[in-house]
Amino acid sequence: MSTPEQARAMAAAADGAIVGSAIVKLCARYGKEAAPYVARYVREMKAAVTEAAG
């Protein structure tokens, strides 16, 4: 999974999601400046799953 929309859609049917490759891509893109981008991505994914779980 790589988007909050995908996480939201799968939250009802899955116990977890693997998003490591998306985080690796952010790190590759932003290098040493990746931390805020990764943090935002993780927050968005968490919010999507939390919303879907009700």
Side-chain angles (χ1 to χ4, degrees):
M1 275 180 226
S2 60
T3 68
E5 292 78 17
Q6 291 171 335
R8 189 177 300 110
M10 292 304 297
D15 291 331
I18 298 173
V19 297
S21 60
I23 293 172
V24 169
K25 287 177 184 177
L26 288 171
C27 291
R29 181 174 181 183
Y30 295 106
K32 293 181 181 180
E33 306 300 319
Y37 297 98
V38 171
R40 183 178 69 202
Y41 174 76
V42 171
R43 278 193 306 271
E44 290 174 353
M45 294 297 277
K46 180 182 176 186
V49 170
T50 301
E51 177 185 321

